Amino acid sequence: MRDAVGSFVGWPSDLIFPDAETPTRPTHKVGKGISRRIESVASQKEVPRRKLKSAAKDIPTTSGTKSQIMMRLEKMVDESDIMHGAIRSIDFDEGVFGAAHFEIIAKEDFQQLFEHTELGIAVIHTYIWYMYVTLMRGTELCNRFNFIAASRINATLITNNPTSVKNDLVDRFMAAGDNTTPSLYFLPFNSSNGGHWVLVAMDLSRLIVYYLDSLSGDWSKYPNMKKTVDAAIIKFRSKKNYRNRKDITWIRVQCPQQNNSVDCGFFVMRFMRDIIALNRIDIPKMYFEEYKSYSRANLDEIKDELCQFIVDQRII
């Protein structure tokens, strides 16, 4: 399959899932100029905050306007072949998702950042990679926070094959160690077909699942997702011979709310950033006092961090 990139490959229609991302693949170098004919989709509390402050120190920005780093990246993209249908193939550190992961970045992904539109999986995954590299790698935070690829667990895949998705979740839990001490697994969950993003944060040691949704409602909107997550946690604990001392508790966090139809992906990225920056395994039901609401500047900060990371990683 890798040798066929850049050409047309016939594929049976019954094996095409519109919302499914490209599966993870073994690591390989960043690809340049691949024709896009096939579309793809001090205290513990203070340490990450200092890193975030350091990472953002050279990113001047004003809410409502594009920052210098975004304009720089936009110019780089405009002058690259990616604006004419090329793509970039990126390998993530294995620690990000617990296994080798392969991501595709294309023109529309950059435009989602530049134009502040609805986000796809590629942007959210790349921001997760940024957080892992900038905040977590080489620190104890890697034992406290874990990420689950949204391309492996989403509404469409659960509908098509819930058993496979459950097993993928169990495999991810098994890859991270014994999970006997509190830690969080972040799952950015999409409601399918480019729909709404929510954040599901799982604490396997305490059998708690936090649900963060920037719109009103709770997990009852996604009963199959809740059923799959619960089943995966129970199966994991059984494989580890852990006793289920109590039922799994789901908590709806009263988190900041969006006021438009496009910000959900940005909110999910900001939720993860805040939790890691505060180094908090327990998420207050009324959310964190430091972040009762999000301004547009709070979301722009996310975009600027990601733009700086893309430039630093020489993805373009």
Short mmCIF file of all heavy atoms in Angstrom, two decimals, residues 44 136 140-146 182-185 279-281:
data_model
loop_
_atom_site.label_atom_id
_atom_site.label_comp_id
_atom_site.label_asym_id
_atom_site.label_seq_id
_atom_site.Cartn_x
_atom_site.Cartn_y
_atom_site.Cartn_z
N GLN A 44 4.86 19.54 40.81
CA GLN A 44 4.31 18.84 39.66
C GLN A 44 3.31 19.73 38.93
O GLN A 44 3.19 19.68 37.72
CB GLN A 44 3.61 17.56 40.12
CG GLN A 44 4.57 16.52 40.64
CD GLN A 44 3.85 15.27 41.05
OE1 GLN A 44 2.62 15.23 41.11
NE2 GLN A 44 4.59 14.23 41.36
N MET A 136 5.35 16.55 28.01
CA MET A 136 5.34 15.26 28.69
C MET A 136 6.59 14.41 28.48
O MET A 136 7.05 13.77 29.43
CB MET A 136 4.11 14.47 28.22
CG MET A 136 2.79 15.12 28.58
SD MET A 136 1.36 14.32 27.80
CE MET A 136 1.58 12.61 28.32
N GLU A 140 7.57 12.52 34.35
CA GLU A 140 6.62 11.63 34.99
C GLU A 140 5.20 11.82 34.45
O GLU A 140 4.31 11.00 34.69
CB GLU A 140 6.65 11.83 36.51
CG GLU A 140 6.35 13.24 36.98
CD GLU A 140 4.87 13.50 37.20
OE1 GLU A 140 4.15 12.55 37.51
OE2 GLU A 140 4.44 14.65 37.05
N LEU A 141 4.98 12.89 33.72
CA LEU A 141 3.65 13.13 33.15
C LEU A 141 3.24 12.02 32.18
O LEU A 141 2.05 11.77 31.98
CB LEU A 141 3.60 14.49 32.45
CG LEU A 141 3.73 15.72 33.34
CD1 LEU A 141 3.76 16.98 32.51
CD2 LEU A 141 2.59 15.79 34.36
N CYS A 142 4.23 11.34 31.60
CA CYS A 142 3.92 10.24 30.69
C CYS A 142 3.25 9.08 31.43
O CYS A 142 2.59 8.24 30.79
CB CYS A 142 5.19 9.75 29.99
SG CYS A 142 5.79 10.87 28.71
N ASN A 143 3.44 9.00 32.74
CA ASN A 143 2.78 7.98 33.54
C ASN A 143 1.41 8.41 34.04
O ASN A 143 0.67 7.61 34.61
CB ASN A 143 3.66 7.60 34.74
CG ASN A 143 5.00 7.02 34.32
OD1 ASN A 143 5.08 6.27 33.36
ND2 ASN A 143 6.05 7.39 35.05
N ARG A 144 1.09 9.68 33.84
CA ARG A 144 -0.15 10.23 34.37
C ARG A 144 -1.19 10.53 33.29
O ARG A 144 -2.39 10.54 33.56
CB ARG A 144 0.14 11.51 35.18
CG ARG A 144 0.93 11.24 36.46
CD ARG A 144 1.36 12.53 37.14
NE ARG A 144 0.26 13.35 37.59
CZ ARG A 144 -0.41 13.15 38.72
NH1 ARG A 144 -0.11 12.12 39.50
NH2 ARG A 144 -1.38 13.98 39.08
N PHE A 145 -0.73 10.75 32.07
CA PHE A 145 -1.65 11.09 30.99
C PHE A 145 -1.34 10.27 29.74
O PHE A 145 -0.18 10.13 29.35
CB PHE A 145 -1.56 12.59 30.68
CG PHE A 145 -1.86 13.48 31.86
CD1 PHE A 145 -0.83 14.11 32.54
CD2 PHE A 145 -3.16 13.64 32.32
CE1 PHE A 145 -1.09 14.91 33.64
CE2 PHE A 145 -3.43 14.43 33.42
CZ PHE A 145 -2.39 15.08 34.09
N ASN A 146 -2.37 9.74 29.15
CA ASN A 146 -2.25 8.93 27.95
C ASN A 146 -3.28 9.38 26.92
O ASN A 146 -4.34 9.92 27.28
CB ASN A 146 -2.47 7.45 28.28
CG ASN A 146 -1.57 6.93 29.37
OD1 ASN A 146 -0.43 6.57 29.13
ND2 ASN A 146 -2.08 6.89 30.61
N PRO A 182 -3.51 6.27 39.86
CA PRO A 182 -4.38 7.14 39.07
C PRO A 182 -3.67 7.73 37.86
O PRO A 182 -2.55 8.22 37.94
CB PRO A 182 -4.77 8.23 40.08
CG PRO A 182 -4.66 7.58 41.41
CD PRO A 182 -3.49 6.65 41.29
N SER A 183 -4.33 7.66 36.74
CA SER A 183 -3.87 8.29 35.51
C SER A 183 -5.10 8.52 34.64
O SER A 183 -6.18 7.98 34.91
CB SER A 183 -2.85 7.40 34.78
OG SER A 183 -3.45 6.18 34.39
N LEU A 184 -4.94 9.32 33.60
CA LEU A 184 -6.06 9.61 32.72
C LEU A 184 -5.74 9.18 31.29
O LEU A 184 -4.63 9.39 30.80
CB LEU A 184 -6.40 11.10 32.74
CG LEU A 184 -7.14 11.67 33.95
CD1 LEU A 184 -7.39 13.15 33.75
CD2 LEU A 184 -8.45 10.93 34.20
N TYR A 185 -6.72 8.61 30.65
CA TYR A 185 -6.66 8.34 29.22
C TYR A 185 -7.59 9.33 28.52
O TYR A 185 -8.80 9.33 28.78
CB TYR A 185 -7.12 6.92 28.91
CG TYR A 185 -6.13 5.85 29.30
CD1 TYR A 185 -6.06 5.40 30.62
CD2 TYR A 185 -5.27 5.30 28.36
CE1 TYR A 185 -5.15 4.41 30.98
CE2 TYR A 185 -4.36 4.31 28.72
CZ TYR A 185 -4.31 3.88 30.03
OH TYR A 185 -3.40 2.91 30.38
N ASN A 279 -1.67 19.44 35.84
CA ASN A 279 -1.27 18.12 36.33
C ASN A 279 -2.31 17.56 37.30
O ASN A 279 -2.00 17.14 38.41
CB ASN A 279 0.11 18.19 37.00
CG ASN A 279 0.77 16.83 37.14
OD1 ASN A 279 0.21 15.82 36.74
ND2 ASN A 279 1.96 16.81 37.71
N ARG A 280 -3.57 17.54 36.83
CA ARG A 280 -4.67 17.10 37.67
C ARG A 280 -5.29 15.82 37.11
O ARG A 280 -5.80 15.81 35.98
CB ARG A 280 -5.75 18.20 37.73
CG ARG A 280 -5.31 19.46 38.48
CD ARG A 280 -5.31 19.26 39.97
NE ARG A 280 -6.63 18.95 40.49
CZ ARG A 280 -7.52 19.87 40.85
NH1 ARG A 280 -7.23 21.16 40.75
NH2 ARG A 280 -8.69 19.51 41.34
N ILE A 281 -5.26 14.77 37.89
CA ILE A 281 -5.94 13.55 37.51
C ILE A 281 -7.43 13.65 37.81
O ILE A 281 -8.28 13.18 37.06
CB ILE A 281 -5.33 12.33 38.23
CG1 ILE A 281 -3.85 12.19 37.86
CG2 ILE A 281 -6.09 11.06 37.89
CD1 ILE A 281 -3.61 12.00 36.38
#
